[in-house]
Amino acid sequence: MNRVYIKTYGCQMNERDSEQVASDLRNRGYSIVDTEHDADVVLLNTCSVRDQAEQKAIGKAGYLKKKKKENPNFVLGVMGCMAQNHGSTLVDRLPDLDLVVGTQKFHRVPDHLDNLIQSLNGQGPRPSSIVDLDEEEGSQNTIRDHIGKKGQVSAFVSIMQGCNMNCAFCIVPKTRGRERARPIEEIVDEVTRVAESGVKEVTLLGQIVTSYGRREFPVVGGKSPFVQLLEKIQDVKGIERIRFTSPHPRGFKQDLVEAYRDLSKLCEYVHLPLQAGCNKTLRAMNRPYTKERYREIVDSLRAVVPSMYFSTDIIVGFPGETEADFAETAAFFDDIAFDMAYIFKYSIRTGTPAEVMPDQIPQEEKERRNQVLLDLLHKSSLARNEGLVGKTEQVLIEGPAKKGDKFVGKTRGYRNAIFDANERLIGQLVDMKINRATASTVYGDLVLAGVDA
Ligand code: SF4
């Protein structure tokens, strides 16, 4: 009764939350298994960012309830954003659900499972479904432990929860609550622990990291709490690379730009959500910046680090986006020449202001706009990668490629790199001479002189 499979949908924050639940469960004597077929307990850690993501998880839960027929003691739980978004109505839709755990209650999962399993074993009353969705002060501080997989070179570190913005398309403020930051010292302790276990790269996570600690901690010497945190992590022995996701253009100030100049471990890659390159659409989205301000941030980053890489999120077909609005967004997107982008066709998210906006865009038109941006992205990312051919870039070696006998890693600019290597090089930072490139990947040979290979 103690084998648990956790299936994670959605973003890196969800992955991180699942890792914490897995760690808590292991400490409680549960074993974490790799497939649902071997499990006595399945927990779905869900995403609400689009209706489609929720439908996927509901479909999975519907399928898994069949397991109850074979094994009446099988336990099925839903955690995370969809649990928070729909609460006990999920149990109405899926009466076989045993557990519904919201985004501030992940740390309560072991207690809930203990209780459910004891009851199922006849040591208590037959349990009804447990629904635990309340807000909990300090819950952001409970996402702090790691499982530590063998050969792991990179780790996510959750620095805050929630978002106080109200973008018209986004459900996150409802599912994740108000902004709550973890203390700087606790984050630095966590980063130190992962570094001691061999991790070389950390990615700091939050829905809106540029808001980190702005209510809890003071600005010191003109530096925001987020930049103070980056400076502290720069000093952690063993950590060689720092990344973060996602900042917001509104909170991206000069102190953060200068951090890219001053902190050698902060990789020259930023994922800076644009969402639209047209001020009218940005206003409709309730995104409080203009494309001119976004451009200023890009220019100031390129001024301090000319080789800066830019990635973004962008939505096409937002309600009311005319052909002229889209043309403006496409021209701006082309002008920035993004190295990477997550391009989304707007889809209605129930419960958000944009759901009821007039002038929804037909699906075929969204497809067309999506393709226009994909083509522009292909052109800019290919040009960037082809420009690297003949150059030498440092790669962090992650491990063997999924197929073939090559190894994979990432450059500081977050390009996928493929090369010959061996197991002993995993976790090392090694220069690579690039000899070929596609839009997504660079290929080359490691420069092993002086490296313990
Ligand atoms: S800033 Fe990000 S998380 Fe917050 S409401 Fe906007 S899109 Fe959602």
Side-chain angles (χ1 to χ4, degrees):
M1 277 301 288
N2 72 349
R3 297 168 306 166
V4 182
Y5 173 63
I6 304 175
K7 177 157 180 67
T8 307
Y9 297 87
C11 66
Q12 293 139 327
M13 298 223 39
N14 280 16
E15 275 181 45
R16 181 69 197 99
D17 296 337
S18 291
E19 186 183 19
Q20 181 65 49
V21 173
S23 170
D24 289 342
L25 287 171
R26 273 196 181 168
N27 290 340
R28 195 63 74 82
Y30 290 85
S31 67
I32 306 299
V33 295
D34 292 334
T35 75
E36 64 201 45
H37 309 294
D38 298 328
D40 311 301
V41 177
V42 172
L43 301 173
L44 305 178
N45 192 10
T46 55
C47 169
S48 281
V49 80
R50 274 175 273 171
D51 281 355
Q52 202 188 15
E54 291 194 342
Q55 290 314 322
K56 244 172 143 179
I58 286 174
K60 185 76 178 171
Y63 168 77
L64 285 167
K65 74 179 184 192
K66 286 193 213 138
K67 272 176 128 1
K68 287 221 171 228
K69 294 219 170 71
E70 297 151 26
N71 172 10
N73 284 352
F74 174 73
V75 174
L76 179 59
V78 169
M79 318 185 283
C81 287
M82 186 174 80
Q84 194 70 47
N85 195 18
H86 295 295
S88 49
T89 62
L90 277 177
V91 183
D92 302 337
R93 280 179 81 174
L94 297 161
D96 286 314
L97 212 49
D98 300 290
L99 192 55
V100 179
V101 175
T103 54
Q104 303 197 31
K105 294 290 185 182
F106 288 112
H107 57 290
R108 297 277 296 142
V109 169
D111 287 344
H112 292 322
L113 278 187
D114 282 357
N115 290 338
L116 278 166
I117 289 169
Q118 271 177 20
S119 305
L120 288 166
N121 284 340
Q123 293 156 339
R126 173 85 207 160
S128 52
S129 307
I130 296 174
V131 179
D132 192 0
L133 303 168
D134 288 345
E135 289 183 9
E136 184 171 324
E137 209 185 312
S139 60
Q140 72 276 17
N141 301 326
T142 63
I143 310 296
R144 59 174 180 224
D145 300 309
H146 293 256
I147 289 216
K149 294 185 209 99
K150 192 172 169 285
Q152 184 180 349
V153 301
S154 186
F156 296 132
V157 173
S158 188
I159 64 169
M160 65 182 295
Q161 294 284 338
C163 177
N164 290 5
M165 307 296 271
N166 278 305
C167 300
F169 50 81
C170 184
I171 197 80
V172 163
K174 180 177 173 200
T175 61
R176 291 273 176 177
R178 307 284 294 166
E179 290 165 10
R180 289 109 56 212
R182 296 177 61 199
I184 290 184
E185 310 71 51
E186 287 188 20
I187 299 168
V188 173
D189 279 354
E190 179 179 336
V191 172
T192 306
R193 273 184 277 124
V194 295
E196 284 165 359
S197 73
V199 162
K200 298 283 172 33
E201 174 184 85
V202 285
T203 302
L204 309 180
L205 300 180
Q207 272 85 27
I208 181 158
V209 293
T210 33
S211 293
Y212 169 81
R214 66 188 167 134
R215 273 177 202 79
E216 295 93 336
F217 315 122
V219 170
V220 176
K223 289 175 183 163
S224 65
F226 183 56
V227 171
Q228 294 168 45
L229 174 67
L230 292 173
E231 288 181 342
K232 289 261 166 42
I233 296 176
Q234 164 80 19
D235 293 337
V236 174
K237 200 165 152 257
I239 293 299
E240 304 287 351
R241 289 180 171 187
I242 306 168
R243 304 184 188 278
F244 56 80
T245 193
S246 290
H248 192 291
R250 201 182 72 161
F252 211 112
K253 303 275 164 57
Q254 193 58 21
D255 61 333
L256 185 51
V257 171
E258 286 168 9
Y260 278 94
R261 180 194 64 198
D262 299 336
L263 303 179
S264 59
K265 296 178 182 177
L266 189 56
C267 291
E268 52 273 29
Y269 167 93
V270 66
H271 177 77
L272 184 59
L274 170 64
Q275 307 300 6
C278 156
N279 291 342
K280 185 192 127 208
T281 311
L282 286 170
R283 265 195 311 279
M285 289 174 163
N286 200 23
R287 300 278 295 179
Y289 54 91
T290 58
K291 66 175 184 178
E292 289 78 14
R293 173 62 195 139
Y294 190 98
R295 177 86 231 188
E296 257 174 41
I297 300 170
V298 169
D299 289 347
S300 55
L301 283 164
R302 284 186 173 143
V304 295
V305 184
S307 61
M308 196 78 187
Y309 289 78
F310 289 90
S311 158
T312 201
D313 292 329
I314 193 155
I315 296 171
V316 298
F318 188 75
E321 185 190 58
T322 63
E323 182 50 39
D325 298 336
F326 173 68
E328 202 180 320
T329 283
F332 189 75
F333 185 85
D334 192 26
D335 191 37
I336 300 283
F338 286 101
D339 302 292
M340 176 60 198
Y342 300 89
I343 303 164
F344 301 95
K345 288 166 271 182
Y346 173 75
S347 71
I348 288 181
R349 178 62 284 214
T350 311
T352 62
E355 178 195 1
V356 290
M357 285 184 176
D359 303 322
Q360 299 280 336
I361 307 298
Q363 190 59 25
E364 319 79 75
E365 181 57 17
K366 288 184 210 167
E367 303 281 353
R368 189 192 69 77
R369 294 178 189 182
N370 183 49
Q371 195 55 50
V372 170
L373 293 196
L374 281 174
D375 291 346
L376 290 172
L377 176 65
H378 182 82
K379 183 186 75 169
S380 57
S381 53
L382 182 63
R384 184 71 192 262
N385 281 1
E386 282 180 338
L388 294 172
V389 173
K391 299 201 168 117
T392 299
E393 291 270 318
Q394 182 203 64
V395 292
L396 172 58
I397 300 174
E398 294 169 356
K402 284 205 179 94
K403 283 190 233 148
D405 54 2
K406 302 275 183 191
F407 278 66
V408 292
K410 293 264 184 328
T411 67
R412 282 177 58 103
Y414 213 58
R415 310 282 85 191
N416 292 314
I418 296 198
F419 42 83
D420 287 317
N422 62 52
E423 298 277 338
R424 291 207 341 229
L425 287 165
I426 294 172
Q428 294 209 45
L429 293 143
V430 181
D431 282 345
M432 182 180 96
K433 178 95 186 290
I434 296 169
N435 50 36
R436 187 163 73 83
T438 64
S440 63
T441 306
V442 291
Y443 301 79
D445 298 312
L446 297 182
V447 182
L448 289 170
V451 176
D452 181 16

